[in-house]
Amino acid sequence: MKNDFSQPEFNQSLVDLVHQIVHDELSPEEHAELEQMLQSDPAARSQYFLLLDLEYGLEKIATERNEASSEKRPIHAGTLATDPTRKRSSVGVWPLIALTLAAVIAVPLAIWGLNKGTVDQAKQSHDTSPTTCPEDSDPEMRIVQMARSRFFDEPQVFAPGDCLQVDHDYALVEGSIQLKSRTGAEMIVQAPAVFSIQSAEQVLLKVGTCSIYAPDGAEGFRVLTPQAEVVDKGTRFSIEVNESGEADVEVIEGAAEVFPRETSESGISNGLRLEAGQGRVINSLGQIASDDRADFGRTYQSTLPDRIISFKATAKKDPNPDQLLSVTAQRGGLPYTYDVDQLIGFDVLHFKVGKNINNITTPIMSIDPKQGDDSRRRVGYLDRDQSLLTGLLNPGGQETPLDSDPDITSEDLDARTQGMAIRFHQPVINGPGPDIVFFDLHVVHHPEAGDPFHVSPLHFEPGLKSHTVWNYDISLADRGAHALSDFRLYGFDRSIRSVEELCHANHNGGIPHAVPAKVIAAGIDLSDLGYPEGAEVRELFFQDAMDDENLIDPVFIGGFPSPRPAPATNQPTSDPE
């Protein structure tokens, strides 16, 4: 990737409007001007995200640098954006660069400073730390489930069961999260979003999308937005708030009441009652309009996406550590737990690497002989045990996914396709949600999102295609990732081109790996490869996506059986460690 630090050309009117937003100086007329600008100009929307984050970041820097001074003057991002010759101190330039990069990566940060009052108040709110809920506590809001969720700038990684603090702005930049209040109301928030828990009965949604379910006993749950207030009347409803403060409210079931936040200005003294199937838009000026979209109901989400929820493995202190015990997956909206013995095993048919010759791993005290032999012992590190500490590492790959059958049989080994082919012991039936679980050994200093990979049919037919897994359901950043015991990494004397060469080649005897590693997990939905529901799949081909120098390190692959077992009653949320 090319780093381009050239200064963009900013719309000066937008610069001034953003400055006034952050410093709470925007008039209703200017708010309408901004809304029109953002709706009509894609370039303005892009600059808006950057400028808002710059303004808030610069104000924060200025405040921190002048805490001992009685005079605190705001810094105007427009000055920096339009005057590249302006002298900057060495103290300020690096935070500015960091803030600029953060704005590009995390869209919801652009809304971070809205409706905060002063930067000092925002800083006090941000200093609140999340906590793990005591078992006997009754918090205002608790995390129930997470799906590829990542928050910006929080002091700890969240996990199901954690409490959320009151009056603290949370910026959800990836994935979705399910919350449950003390009164029983349930809320699913989808990234990008910025929200704050105000009580067990009230949440402030500054930007993003949330879905609310208020069962009996939780009636009256309120969701505030910059321009609207929605009060539950025993219902399911969704709210989508855009960056200009406009809120789109849709009632899916039951009823809800909608109030403009400034009822005195709008002339409405009572709320507008919405029944199931009705929706309204509250614009950035607090005016209520009808919602006549044809795709009504598209924003409501009753469950988190299907995925690998968690897995259990024996801990480091166990006499037989790092053994997979079970996997819990959500399939068709319901969680199912599979013991490891229920998972469908496989045989490795083909294994060819690229330049990386470090291709097997074992526990530190279990040493693979240097000399190869005629057995399939080394292949069995992946296809014959339940250990998450053994596997076939660094299979080759290519940037472009396959669109035709890979070559795994050519007599010319150099002509064979880089990657790994497997054949399941029995067909994996394509059902709802993930059908296969893929475990990867991931060193802790590598990118926390995991190494992307392609999975393809071994034999292409009309309608079938390759699928690239870019995101792991349980990544390095999740508390559910399993911390591995010490292990050895084996470097071979050649680039392996076949299963036979893997078995016969010599290696260096295994070097203890100095850097800690964890195991992460991804689910594979066979529908993403074009297989119809109910299709029987026996063979698959795996390749690294070659997005960087780090390659996938498969340590376990398993197919989910069909029919599915009874749904899980108690979902495991993290590794027993």
Side-chain angles (χ1 to χ4, degrees), residues 351 353 355-372 377-378 381 389-395 441 486-496 502 505-514 553:
F351 186 78
V353 307
K355 296 180 180 179
N356 196 318
I357 60 174
N358 299 303
N359 303 129
I360 63 173
T361 180
T362 67
I364 192 72
M365 300 304 293
S366 178
I367 302 176
D368 186 84
K370 288 185 178 181
Q371 306 298 319
R377 179 189 67 256
R378 292 171 177 169
Y381 291 142
L389 203 55
T390 61
L392 302 185
L393 313 186
N394 299 308
L441 183 153
D486 295 337
F487 61 93
R488 293 180 180 272
L489 185 63
Y490 296 81
F492 283 84
D493 58 4
R494 71 190 79 171
S495 293
I496 302 301
L502 176 69
N506 299 330
H507 57 58
N508 60 6
I511 305 299
H513 200 270
D553 298 319

Side-chain angles (χ1 to χ4, degrees), residues 203-226:
V203 170
L204 171 61
L205 180 66
K206 295 188 174 182
V207 67
T209 303
C210 73
S211 302
I212 305 296
Y213 167 54
D216 292 344
E219 299 91 341
F221 187 85
R222 296 172 180 262
V223 179
L224 308 182
T225 77

Side-chain angles (χ1 to χ4, degrees), residues 325-327 336-345 386 426 556 558-566:
L325 299 175
S326 65
V327 180
Y336 297 88
T337 295
Y338 302 89
D339 292 336
V340 65
D341 292 334
Q342 294 177 285
L343 301 180
I344 300 171
Q386 298 169 354
Q426 66 185 64
F556 189 94
F560 293 136
S562 183
R564 300 187 297 276

Side-chain angles (χ1 to χ4, degrees), residues 228-551:
E229 178 177 340
V230 184
V231 181
D232 162 73
K233 297 297 180 182
T235 186
R236 299 177 189 266
F237 65 91
S238 65
I239 303 178
E240 183 177 29
V241 182
N242 66 21
E243 62 271 14
S244 67
E246 180 177 281
D248 190 340
V249 181
E250 296 183 344
V251 177
I252 307 302
E253 179 182 299
E257 253 187 319
V258 179
F259 299 83
R261 288 288 294 273
E262 300 294 339
T263 56
S264 59
E265 292 183 6
S266 66
I268 299 176
S269 58
N270 297 316
L272 176 64
R273 184 179 178 89
L274 298 180
E275 304 289 345
Q278 294 182 321
R280 289 294 187 274
V281 172
I282 300 87
N283 66 21
S284 59
L285 299 179
Q287 300 165 336
I288 299 178
S290 61
D291 183 1
D292 55 1
R293 295 181 316 180
D295 57 349
F296 179 90
R298 67 177 179 84
T299 59
Y300 184 79
Q301 188 172 340
S302 60
T303 64
L304 296 188
D306 286 345
R307 68 202 182 282
I308 305 301
I309 296 175
S310 62
F311 63 94
K312 285 187 175 181
T314 54
K316 289 182 179 180
K317 61 185 178 181
D318 193 273
N320 191 19
D322 308 303
Q323 299 294 308
L324 182 64
L325 299 175
S326 65
V327 180
T328 297
Q330 180 176 303
R331 308 184 68 192
L334 297 174
Y336 297 88
T337 295
Y338 302 89
D339 292 336
V340 65
D341 292 334
Q342 294 177 285
L343 301 180
I344 300 171
F346 63 93
D347 296 317
V348 175
L349 304 179
H350 168 75
F351 186 78
K352 183 179 179 180
V353 307
K355 296 180 180 179
N356 196 318
I357 60 174
N358 299 303
N359 303 129
I360 63 173
T361 180
T362 67
I364 192 72
M365 300 304 293
S366 178
I367 302 176
D368 186 84
K370 288 185 178 181
Q371 306 298 319
D373 55 33
D374 292 329
S375 74
R376 285 178 55 92
R377 179 189 67 256
R378 292 171 177 169
V379 183
Y381 291 142
L382 180 61
D383 69 9
R384 284 298 182 274
D385 69 17
Q386 298 169 354
S387 173
L388 298 177
L389 203 55
T390 61
L392 302 185
L393 313 186
N394 299 308
Q398 58 190 49
E399 292 185 23
T400 305
L402 293 173
D403 57 10
S404 60
D405 295 0
D407 184 346
I408 67 171
T409 60
S410 175
E411 293 185 4
D412 179 3
L413 298 183
D414 290 329
R416 294 188 181 184
T417 306
Q418 291 187 18
M420 180 177 69
I422 68 172
R423 177 183 293 138
F424 289 102
H425 297 159
Q426 66 185 64
V428 177
I429 309 300
N430 181 25
D435 305 291
I436 295 164
V437 61
F438 178 97
F439 289 96
D440 184 77
L441 183 153
H442 203 66
V443 179
V444 296
H445 69 279
H446 287 178
E448 66 179 25
D451 297 318
F453 61 93
H454 309 307
V455 56
S456 310
L458 190 56
H459 302 289
F460 280 77
E461 298 175 358
L464 299 185
K465 59 184 178 179
S466 294
H467 171 65
T468 303
V469 176
W470 293 103
N471 299 298
Y472 285 71
D473 296 321
I474 301 174
S475 72
L476 199 63
D478 293 311
R479 296 214 313 247
H482 174 80
L484 289 168
S485 307
D486 295 337
F487 61 93
R488 293 180 180 272
L489 185 63
Y490 296 81
F492 283 84
D493 58 4
R494 71 190 79 171
S495 293
I496 302 301
R497 299 173 295 174
S498 68
V499 169
E500 291 73 25
E501 279 196 350
L502 176 69
C503 296
H504 290 101
N506 299 330
H507 57 58
N508 60 6
I511 305 299
H513 200 270
V515 183
K518 293 186 177 184
V519 166
I520 60 179
I524 299 171
D525 187 342
L526 291 172
S527 297
D528 291 330
L529 280 72
Y531 289 105
E533 187 169 353
E536 298 184 356
V537 179
R538 291 293 298 264
E539 299 169 328
L540 291 174
F541 194 79
F542 295 85
Q543 292 182 300
D544 188 89
M546 304 303 289
D547 61 313
D548 57 24
E549 68 276 8
N550 303 310
L551 307 183

Side-chain angles (χ1 to χ4, degrees), residues 38-186:
L38 294 176
Q39 288 176 347
S40 61
D41 187 354
R45 289 196 294 272
S46 179
Q47 292 180 7
Y48 173 78
F49 294 138
L50 177 59
L51 286 169
L52 258 178
D53 204 38
L54 278 172
E55 280 284 356
Y56 177 58
L58 289 169
E59 181 70 4
K60 183 177 179 182
I61 292 169
T63 301
E64 291 172 350
R65 290 177 61 184
N66 292 282
E67 284 180 342
S69 172
S70 61
E71 181 181 6
K72 297 183 181 180
R73 298 173 58 193
I75 301 174
H76 197 322
T79 306
L80 295 177
T82 57
D83 184 7
T85 64
R86 178 182 175 90
K87 184 177 179 181
R88 300 179 184 138
S89 70
S90 59
V91 175
V93 67
W94 291 112
L96 175 59
I97 292 174
L99 286 163
T100 303
L101 292 174
V104 175
I105 295 170
V107 169
L109 301 184
I111 315 298
W112 190 269
L114 288 175
N115 302 299
K116 280 182 173 289
T118 66
V119 174
D120 287 337
Q121 291 171 335
K123 185 174 184 297
Q124 291 170 4
S125 174
H126 180 66
D127 286 342
T128 307
S129 298
T131 59
T132 299
C133 299
E135 291 185 3
D136 58 350
S137 69
D138 192 15
E140 298 295 281
M141 193 73 70
R142 184 193 298 267
I143 297 175
V144 178
Q145 292 191 76
M146 304 177 71
R148 298 177 180 172
S149 309
R150 185 168 68 86
F151 286 85
F152 175 77
D153 200 25
E154 294 296 334
Q156 73 178 48
V157 176
F158 288 106
D162 285 351
C163 303
L164 292 186
Q165 298 295 318
V166 174
D167 297 327
H168 173 76
D169 278 345
Y170 291 100
L172 182 67
V173 295
E174 290 181 13
S176 51
I177 184 170
Q178 183 180 7
L179 309 174
K180 188 172 185 178
S181 76
R182 175 173 47 78
T183 61
E186 297 180 8

